[in-house]
Coordinates of all heavy atoms in Angstrom, one line a residue:
M1 N 70.3 83.1 104.8 CA 70.8 83.4 103.5 C 71.1 84.9 103.4 O 70.7 85.7 104.3 CB 69.7 83.1 102.5 CG 69.6 81.6 102.1 SD 71.1 80.9 101.4 CE 71.1 81.5 99.8
P2 N 71.8 85.3 102.3 CA 72.2 86.8 102.2 C 70.9 87.7 102.3 O 71.1 88.8 102.8 CB 72.8 86.8 100.9 CG 73.4 85.5 100.7 CD 72.4 84.6 101.4
N3 N 69.7 87.3 101.9 CA 68.6 88.2 101.9 C 68.2 88.6 103.4 O 67.5 89.5 103.5 CB 67.4 87.5 101.2 CG 67.6 87.4 99.7 OD1 68.5 88.1 99.2 ND2 66.9 86.4 99.1
D4 N 68.6 87.8 104.3 CA 68.3 88.1 105.8 C 69.2 89.1 106.4 O 68.9 89.6 107.5 CB 68.3 86.8 106.6 CG 67.3 85.8 106.1 OD1 66.3 86.2 105.6 OD2 67.6 84.6 106.3
Y5 N 70.3 89.5 105.7 CA 71.3 90.4 106.2 C 71.5 91.5 105.2 O 71.4 91.3 104.0 CB 72.6 89.7 106.5 CG 72.4 88.6 107.5 CD1 72.3 87.3 107.1 CD2 72.4 89.0 108.9 CE1 72.1 86.4 108.1 CE2 72.2 88.0 109.8 CZ 72.0 86.7 109.4 OH 71.8 85.7 110.4
K6 N 71.9 92.7 105.7 CA 72.2 93.9 104.8 C 73.6 93.9 104.4 O 74.5 93.6 105.2 CB 71.7 95.1 105.5 CG 70.3 95.3 105.7 CD 70.0 96.7 106.4 CE 68.5 96.8 106.6 NZ 68.2 98.2 107.2
L7 N 73.8 94.2 103.1 CA 75.2 94.3 102.6 C 75.7 95.8 102.9 O 74.9 96.7 102.6 CB 75.2 94.0 101.1 CG 76.6 93.9 100.5 CD1 77.3 92.6 101.0 CD2 76.3 93.6 98.9
A8 N 76.9 95.9 103.2 CA 77.4 97.3 103.6 C 78.8 97.4 103.1 O 79.6 96.5 103.0 CB 77.4 97.6 105.0
L9 N 79.2 98.7 102.8 CA 80.6 99.1 102.6 C 81.0 100.0 103.7 O 80.3 101.0 104.0 CB 80.7 100.0 101.3 CG 82.0 100.7 101.0 CD1 83.2 99.7 100.9 CD2 81.8 101.5 99.7
V10 N 82.0 99.5 104.5 CA 82.5 100.2 105.7 C 83.9 100.8 105.4 O 84.8 100.1 105.0 CB 82.5 99.3 106.8 CG1 83.0 100.0 108.1 CG2 81.2 98.6 107.1
S11 N 84.0 102.1 105.6 CA 85.3 102.7 105.5 C 85.8 103.0 106.9 O 85.0 103.5 107.8 CB 85.2 104.1 104.8 OG 84.8 103.9 103.4
W12 N 87.0 102.7 107.2 CA 87.5 102.8 108.6 C 89.0 103.1 108.7 O 89.7 102.7 107.8 CB 87.1 101.5 109.4 CG 87.5 100.2 108.7 CD1 87.0 99.6 107.6 CD2 88.6 99.4 109.1 NE1 87.6 98.5 107.4 CE2 88.6 98.3 108.3 CE3 89.5 99.4 110.2 CZ2 89.6 97.2 108.4 CZ3 90.4 98.4 110.3 CH2 90.5 97.3 109.4
I13 N 89.4 103.7 109.8 CA 90.8 104.0 110.0 C 91.4 102.8 110.7 O 90.9 102.4 111.8 CB 90.9 105.3 110.8 CG1 90.2 106.5 110.2 CG2 92.4 105.6 111.1 CD1 90.8 106.9 108.9
D14 N 92.5 102.2 110.1 CA 93.1 101.1 110.7 C 94.2 101.5 111.7 O 94.8 102.4 111.6 CB 93.7 100.2 109.6 CG 94.1 98.8 110.0 OD1 93.8 98.4 111.1 OD2 94.8 98.2 109.1
A15 N 94.3 100.6 112.7 CA 95.4 100.8 113.7 C 96.6 100.2 112.9 O 96.6 99.4 112.1 CB 95.1 100.0 114.9
E16 N 97.8 100.8 113.3 CA 99.0 100.4 112.5 C 100.2 100.4 113.4 O 100.4 101.2 114.3 CB 99.3 101.5 111.4 CG 100.5 101.3 110.5 CD 100.6 102.3 109.4 OE1 100.4 103.6 109.8 OE2 101.0 102.0 108.3
T17 N 101.1 99.4 113.2 CA 102.4 99.3 113.9 C 103.4 99.4 112.9 O 103.3 98.7 111.8 CB 102.4 98.0 114.6 OG1 101.4 97.9 115.6 CG2 103.8 97.8 115.3
Y18 N 104.4 100.1 113.1 CA 105.6 100.3 112.2 C 106.8 99.8 112.8 O 107.1 100.1 114.0 CB 105.8 101.8 111.8 CG 106.9 101.9 110.8 CD1 106.7 101.7 109.4 CD2 108.1 102.3 111.2 CE1 107.8 101.9 108.6 CE2 109.2 102.5 110.4 CZ 109.0 102.2 109.0 OH 110.1 102.4 108.2
G19 N 107.6 99.0 112.1 CA 108.8 98.5 112.6 C 108.8 97.0 113.0 O 107.8 96.5 113.0
D20 N 110.0 96.5 113.2 CA 110.1 95.1 113.7 C 110.8 95.1 115.0 O 110.8 96.1 115.8 CB 110.7 94.3 112.6 CG 112.1 94.9 112.2 OD1 112.7 95.6 113.0 OD2 112.6 94.6 111.1
S21 N 111.5 94.0 115.3 CA 112.2 93.9 116.6 C 113.6 94.6 116.7 O 114.1 94.7 117.7 CB 112.4 92.4 116.9 OG 113.2 91.8 115.9
S22 N 114.0 95.2 115.6 CA 115.2 96.0 115.6 C 115.0 97.4 115.9 O 113.9 97.9 115.8 CB 116.0 95.8 114.2 OG 115.2 96.4 113.2
W23 N 116.1 98.1 116.2 CA 115.9 99.6 116.5 C 115.9 100.4 115.3 O 116.3 99.9 114.2 CB 117.3 100.0 117.3 CG 117.4 99.4 118.6 CD1 118.1 98.3 119.0 CD2 116.7 99.8 119.8 NE1 118.0 98.0 120.3 CE2 117.1 99.0 120.8 CE3 115.7 100.8 120.1 CZ2 116.6 99.0 122.1 CZ3 115.3 101.0 121.4 CH2 115.7 100.0 122.4
M24 N 115.2 101.5 115.4 CA 115.2 102.5 114.2 C 115.6 103.8 114.7 O 115.6 104.1 115.9 CB 113.8 102.6 113.6 CG 112.8 103.3 114.5 SD 111.2 103.5 113.7 CE 110.5 101.8 114.1
S25 N 116.1 104.7 113.8 CA 116.5 106.0 114.2 C 115.3 106.8 114.7 O 114.1 106.6 114.3 CB 117.2 106.8 113.1 OG 116.2 107.1 112.1
L26 N 115.6 107.8 115.7 CA 114.5 108.6 116.1 C 113.9 109.4 115.0 O 112.7 109.6 114.9 CB 115.1 109.6 117.2 CG 114.1 110.5 117.9 CD1 112.9 109.7 118.5 CD2 114.7 111.4 118.9
E27 N 114.7 109.9 114.0 CA 114.2 110.6 112.9 C 113.2 109.7 112.1 O 112.2 110.2 111.7 CB 115.4 110.9 112.0 CG 115.0 111.7 110.7 CD 116.2 112.1 109.8 OE1 117.3 112.2 110.3 OE2 116.0 112.3 108.6
E28 N 113.5 108.5 111.8 CA 112.6 107.5 111.2 C 111.3 107.4 112.0 O 110.2 107.4 111.5 CB 113.2 106.2 110.9 CG 112.4 105.3 110.1 CD 113.0 103.9 109.8 OE1 114.2 103.7 110.3 OE2 112.4 103.1 109.2
G29 N 111.5 107.2 113.3 CA 110.3 107.0 114.1 C 109.4 108.3 114.1 O 108.2 108.1 114.1
I30 N 110.0 109.4 114.2 CA 109.2 110.6 114.2 C 108.5 110.8 112.7 O 107.3 111.2 112.7 CB 110.1 111.9 114.4 CG1 110.5 111.9 116.0 CG2 109.4 113.2 114.1 CD1 111.6 112.9 116.3
E31 N 109.2 110.4 111.7 CA 108.6 110.5 110.4 C 107.3 109.5 110.3 O 106.3 110.0 109.8 CB 109.6 110.1 109.3 CG 109.0 110.2 107.9 CD 110.1 109.7 106.8 OE1 111.3 109.9 107.1 OE2 109.7 109.2 105.8
Q32 N 107.5 108.4 110.8 CA 106.3 107.4 110.8 C 105.3 107.9 111.8 O 104.1 107.7 111.5 CB 106.9 106.0 111.2 CG 107.6 105.3 110.1 CD 106.8 105.3 108.8 OE1 105.6 105.0 108.8 NE2 107.5 105.6 107.7
A33 N 105.6 108.4 112.9 CA 104.6 108.9 113.9 C 103.8 110.0 113.3 O 102.6 110.2 113.7 CB 105.3 109.4 115.2
N34 N 104.3 110.8 112.3 CA 103.5 111.8 111.7 C 102.9 111.5 110.5 O 102.4 112.3 109.8 CB 104.5 113.0 111.4 CG 104.9 113.8 112.8 OD1 104.0 114.4 113.3 ND2 106.2 113.7 113.0
T35 N 102.8 110.2 110.1 CA 102.1 109.7 109.0 C 100.8 109.1 109.5 O 100.7 108.3 110.3 CB 102.9 108.6 108.3 OG1 104.1 109.1 107.9 CG2 102.2 108.1 107.1
A36 N 99.7 109.5 108.9 CA 98.4 109.1 109.2 C 98.2 107.6 109.0 O 98.7 107.1 108.0 CB 97.3 109.8 108.5
P37 N 97.5 106.9 109.8 CA 97.2 105.5 109.5 C 96.3 105.3 108.3 O 95.6 106.2 108.0 CB 96.5 105.0 110.8 CG 96.0 106.2 111.6 CD 96.9 107.3 111.1
P38 N 96.3 104.1 107.7 CA 95.6 104.0 106.5 C 94.1 103.9 106.7 O 93.6 103.4 107.7 CB 96.1 102.6 105.9 CG 96.5 101.9 107.2 CD 97.1 102.9 108.1
T39 N 93.3 104.4 105.7 CA 91.9 104.2 105.6 C 91.6 102.9 104.9 O 92.1 102.8 103.7 CB 91.2 105.4 105.0 OG1 91.5 106.5 105.8 CG2 89.7 105.2 104.9
M40 N 90.9 102.0 105.4 CA 90.5 100.7 104.8 C 89.1 100.7 104.4 O 88.3 101.4 105.0 CB 90.8 99.6 105.7 CG 92.3 99.6 106.3 SD 93.5 99.5 105.1 CE 93.3 97.9 104.5
C41 N 88.7 99.8 103.4 CA 87.3 99.6 103.0 C 87.1 98.2 103.1 O 87.8 97.4 102.6 CB 87.1 100.2 101.6 SG 87.3 102.0 101.5
S42 N 85.9 97.8 103.7 CA 85.6 96.4 103.8 C 84.0 96.3 103.3 O 83.2 97.3 103.6 CB 85.5 95.9 105.2 OG 86.9 96.0 105.8
V43 N 83.8 95.3 102.5 CA 82.4 95.1 102.1 C 82.0 93.7 102.6 O 82.7 92.7 102.6 CB 82.4 95.0 100.5 CG1 81.0 94.7 100.0 CG2 82.8 96.3 99.9
G44 N 80.8 93.7 103.1 CA 80.2 92.4 103.6 C 78.8 92.5 104.1 O 78.2 93.6 104.2
W45 N 78.3 91.3 104.5 CA 77.0 91.3 105.2 C 77.1 91.6 106.6 O 78.0 91.0 107.3 CB 76.4 89.9 105.0 CG 75.7 89.7 103.6 CD1 74.6 90.1 103.2 CD2 76.4 89.2 102.4 NE1 74.4 89.8 101.8 CE2 75.5 89.2 101.4 CE3 77.6 88.6 102.3 CZ2 75.8 88.7 100.1 CZ3 78.0 88.1 101.0 CH2 77.1 88.2 100.0
V46 N 76.4 92.5 107.1 CA 76.4 92.9 108.5 C 75.7 91.9 109.3 O 74.4 91.7 109.2 CB 75.8 94.3 108.7 CG1 75.8 94.6 110.2 CG2 76.6 95.3 107.9
L47 N 76.4 91.1 110.1 CA 75.8 90.0 111.0 C 75.4 90.7 112.3 O 74.5 90.1 113.0 CB 76.8 88.9 111.1 CG 77.2 88.1 109.9 CD1 78.2 87.0 110.3 CD2 76.0 87.6 109.1
Y48 N 76.1 91.7 112.7 CA 75.8 92.3 114.0 C 76.2 93.7 114.0 O 77.3 94.0 113.4 CB 76.5 91.5 115.1 CG 76.3 92.0 116.5 CD1 75.1 91.7 117.2 CD2 77.1 92.9 117.1 CE1 74.8 92.1 118.5 CE2 76.8 93.4 118.4 CZ 75.7 93.0 119.1 OH 75.4 93.5 120.3
K49 N 75.5 94.6 114.7 CA 75.9 96.0 114.8 C 75.3 96.6 116.1 O 74.1 96.4 116.4 CB 75.3 96.8 113.6 CG 75.6 98.3 113.6 CD 75.1 98.9 112.4 CE 75.3 100.4 112.3 NZ 74.9 101.2 113.4
D50 N 76.1 97.2 116.8 CA 75.7 97.9 118.0 C 76.5 99.2 118.2 O 77.1 99.6 117.3 CB 75.7 97.0 119.3 CG 77.1 96.6 119.8 OD1 78.1 97.3 119.3 OD2 77.2 95.7 120.6
E51 N 76.4 99.8 119.4 CA 77.2 101.1 119.6 C 78.7 100.9 119.7 O 79.4 101.9 119.7 CB 76.6 101.8 120.8 CG 76.9 101.1 122.1 CD 75.9 100.0 122.5 OE1 74.9 99.9 121.7 OE2 76.1 99.3 123.5
L52 N 79.1 99.7 119.9 CA 80.6 99.4 120.0 C 81.2 99.0 118.7 O 82.4 99.4 118.4 CB 80.8 98.5 121.1 CG 80.4 98.8 122.4 CD1 80.7 97.7 123.5 CD2 81.2 100.1 122.9
Y53 N 80.6 98.1 117.9 CA 81.3 97.5 116.8 C 80.3 97.0 115.7 O 79.1 96.8 116.0 CB 82.2 96.5 117.1 CG 81.6 95.2 117.7 CD1 81.3 94.1 116.8 CD2 81.3 95.0 119.0 CE1 80.7 92.9 117.3 CE2 80.8 93.9 119.5 CZ 80.5 92.9 118.6 OH 79.9 91.7 119.2
V54 N 80.8 96.9 114.5 CA 80.0 96.2 113.4 C 80.8 94.9 113.0 O 82.0 94.9 112.9 CB 80.0 97.2 112.2 CG1 79.3 96.5 111.0 CG2 79.3 98.5 112.6
A55 N 80.0 93.8 112.8 CA 80.6 92.6 112.5 C 80.2 92.2 111.1 O 79.0 92.2 110.8 CB 80.2 91.5 113.5
L56 N 81.1 92.0 110.2 CA 80.9 91.7 108.8 C 81.4 90.3 108.4 O 82.3 89.8 109.0 CB 81.6 92.6 107.9 CG 81.4 94.1 108.0 CD1 82.4 94.9 107.1 CD2 80.0 94.5 107.6
T57 N 80.7 89.7 107.4 CA 81.3 88.5 106.8 C 81.2 88.8 105.3 O 80.2 89.3 104.7 CB 80.6 87.2 107.1 OG1 81.3 86.1 106.5 CG2 79.2 87.1 106.7
S58 N 82.2 88.3 104.5 CA 82.1 88.5 103.0 C 81.6 87.2 102.4 O 81.4 87.2 101.2 CB 83.5 88.8 102.5 OG 84.4 87.8 102.9
D59 N 81.5 86.1 103.1 CA 81.0 84.9 102.5 C 79.9 84.4 103.4 O 80.0 84.2 104.6 CB 82.1 83.8 102.5 CG 83.3 84.3 101.7 OD1 83.1 84.5 100.5 OD2 84.4 84.5 102.3
L60 N 78.7 84.1 102.8 CA 77.5 83.8 103.5 C 76.7 82.7 102.7 O 76.3 82.9 101.6 CB 76.6 85.0 103.7 CG 75.4 84.9 104.7 CD1 75.8 84.5 106.0 CD2 74.7 86.2 104.7
G61 N 76.4 81.6 103.4 CA 75.6 80.5 102.8 C 74.4 80.3 103.7 O 74.1 81.0 104.6
P62 N 73.6 79.3 103.4 CA 72.4 79.0 104.1 C 72.6 78.7 105.6 O 71.8 79.0 106.4 CB 71.6 77.9 103.3 CG 72.7 77.4 102.4 CD 73.7 78.3 102.3
E63 N 73.7 78.0 105.9 CA 74.0 77.5 107.2 C 75.3 77.8 107.7 O 75.8 77.3 108.7 CB 73.7 76.0 107.3 CG 72.3 75.6 107.0 CD 71.2 76.0 108.0 OE1 71.6 76.1 109.3 OE2 70.1 76.3 107.7
E64 N 76.2 78.6 106.9 CA 77.5 78.8 107.3 C 78.0 80.2 106.8 O 77.3 80.8 106.0 CB 78.5 77.7 106.7 CG 78.4 77.7 105.1 CD 77.2 76.9 104.6 OE1 77.0 75.7 105.1 OE2 76.6 77.4 103.7
C65 N 79.1 80.6 107.3 CA 79.7 81.9 106.8 C 81.2 81.8 106.9 O 81.7 80.9 107.4 CB 79.2 83.1 107.7 SG 79.8 83.1 109.4
G66 N 81.8 82.8 106.2 CA 83.3 82.8 106.2 C 83.8 83.5 107.5 O 83.1 83.7 108.5
H67 N 85.0 84.1 107.4 CA 85.6 84.8 108.5 C 84.8 86.0 108.9 O 84.1 86.6 108.1 CB 87.1 85.1 108.3 CG 87.2 86.1 107.3 ND1 87.3 85.9 105.9 CD2 87.3 87.5 107.4 CE1 87.5 87.0 105.3 NE2 87.5 88.0 106.1
I68 N 84.9 86.4 110.2 CA 84.2 87.6 110.7 C 85.2 88.7 110.9 O 86.2 88.5 111.5 CB 83.5 87.2 112.0 CG1 82.5 86.0 111.8 CG2 82.7 88.4 112.5 CD1 81.5 86.2 110.8
T69 N 84.9 89.9 110.4 CA 85.6 91.1 110.7 C 84.9 92.0 111.6 O 83.7 92.4 111.3 CB 86.0 91.8 109.4 OG1 86.7 91.0 108.6 CG2 86.8 93.1 109.7
K70 N 85.4 92.3 112.8 CA 84.7 93.2 113.8 C 85.5 94.5 113.7 O 86.7 94.6 114.0 CB 84.8 92.6 115.2 CG 84.0 91.3 115.4 CD 84.1 90.9 116.8 CE 83.3 89.6 117.0 NZ 83.5 89.1 118.4
I71 N 84.7 95.6 113.4 CA 85.3 96.9 113.3 C 84.7 97.8 114.4 O 83.5 98.0 114.4 CB 85.0 97.5 111.9 CG1 85.5 96.6 110.8 CG2 85.7 98.9 111.8 CD1 85.1 97.0 109.4
P72 N 85.5 98.3 115.3 CA 85.0 99.2 116.3 C 84.4 100.5 115.7 O 84.9 101.0 114.7 CB 86.3 99.6 117.1 CG 87.2 98.5 116.9 CD 87.0 98.1 115.5
V73 N 83.2 100.9 116.2 CA 82.5 102.1 115.6 C 83.4 103.3 115.7 O 83.3 104.1 114.8 CB 81.2 102.3 116.4 CG1 80.5 103.6 116.1 CG2 80.2 101.1 116.1
S74 N 84.3 103.4 116.7 CA 85.1 104.6 116.8 C 86.2 104.6 115.7 O 86.7 105.7 115.5 CB 85.9 104.5 118.2 OG 86.7 103.4 118.3
M75 N 86.4 103.6 115.0 CA 87.3 103.6 113.8 C 86.6 103.8 112.5 O 87.3 104.0 111.5 CB 88.1 102.3 113.8 CG 89.0 102.1 115.0 SD 89.7 100.4 115.1 CE 91.1 100.7 114.2
I76 N 85.2 103.7 112.5 CA 84.5 103.9 111.3 C 84.3 105.3 110.9 O 83.9 106.1 111.7 CB 83.1 103.1 111.4 CG1 83.3 101.6 111.6 CG2 82.3 103.4 110.2 CD1 82.0 100.9 111.9
T77 N 84.6 105.6 109.6 CA 84.4 107.0 109.1 C 83.1 107.1 108.3 O 82.6 108.1 108.1 CB 85.6 107.4 108.3 OG1 85.9 106.6 107.2 CG2 86.8 107.5 109.1
K78 N 82.8 105.9 107.7 CA 81.5 105.9 106.8 C 81.0 104.5 106.7 O 81.8 103.6 106.5 CB 81.9 106.5 105.4 CG 80.7 106.7 104.5 CD 81.2 107.4 103.2 CE 80.0 107.7 102.4 NZ 80.5 108.3 101.1
L79 N 79.7 104.4 106.8 CA 79.0 103.1 106.6 C 77.9 103.3 105.5 O 77.0 104.2 105.7 CB 78.4 102.5 107.9 CG 77.9 101.1 107.8 CD1 78.1 100.4 109.1 CD2 76.5 101.0 107.3
E80 N 78.0 102.6 104.4 CA 77.1 102.8 103.3 C 76.3 101.5 103.1 O 76.9 100.4 103.0 CB 77.8 103.1 102.0 CG 78.5 104.4 102.0 CD 79.2 104.6 100.7 OE1 78.6 104.7 99.6 OE2 80.5 104.7 100.7
W81 N 75.0 101.5 103.1 CA 74.2 100.3 102.9 C 74.1 100.1 101.4 O 73.9 101.1 100.7 CB 72.8 100.4 103.5 CG 72.9 100.5 105.0 CD1 72.6 101.7 105.8 CD2 73.2 99.6 106.0 NE1 72.9 101.4 107.1 CE2 73.2 100.1 107.3 CE3 73.6 98.1 105.8 CZ2 73.5 99.3 108.4 CZ3 73.9 97.5 107.0 CH2 73.8 98.0 108.2
L82 N 74.4 98.9 100.9 CA 74.4 98.6 99.5 C 73.1 97.8 99.2 O 72.6 97.1 100.0 CB 75.6 97.8 99.2 CG 76.9 98.4 99.5 CD1 78.1 97.4 99.2 CD2 77.1 99.7 98.8
N83 N 72.6 98.0 98.0 CA 71.4 97.2 97.5 C 71.8 96.0 96.8 O 72.7 95.9 96.1 CB 70.5 98.1 96.7 CG 70.0 99.3 97.5 OD1 69.9 99.3 98.7 ND2 69.5 100.2 96.8

């Protein structure tokens, strides 16, 4: 159950890909290259945490859970434990 796991808010820098299969101008490419990747926020129960990554789920039942998000520790800027 949720009481067995701690709830957390994780802020992290996301990896980003810009563009599709077509060519873009070098000017547009340089502009995008100089734009910082987005900072994301995820909230969920921490199912696993070690020195490499944190694994969260946002849906937790007595015998099941929803999808799992694994965030590499190197991408995390802040982890806040929620009550």
Side-chain angles (χ1 to χ4, degrees):
M1 284 301 286
N3 292 339
D4 296 334
Y5 300 95
K6 293 183 179 179
L7 191 62
L9 168 63
V10 181
S11 300
W12 52 286
I13 305 297
D14 195 6
E16 181 179 41
T17 300
Y18 180 82
D20 54 23
S21 61
S22 63
W23 294 100
M24 73 178 81
S25 70
L26 182 56
E27 182 180 335
E28 182 181 2
I30 291 170
E31 181 180 329
Q32 287 302 317
N34 287 297
T35 302
T39 298
M40 307 303 290
C41 293
S42 299
V43 176
W45 282 274
V46 176
L47 299 181
Y48 182 82
K49 180 180 181 302
D50 67 12
E51 67 278 353
L52 296 178
Y53 67 93
V54 174
L56 305 171
T57 185
S58 58
D59 302 295
L60 186 60
E63 299 292 328
E64 61 278 312
C65 66
H67 70 272
I68 306 300
T69 300
K70 295 180 183 179
I71 306 168
V73 169
S74 61
M75 297 171 87
I76 295 173
T77 59
K78 187 174 187 181
L79 190 149
E80 298 176 62
W81 296 108
L82 305 175
N83 293 341

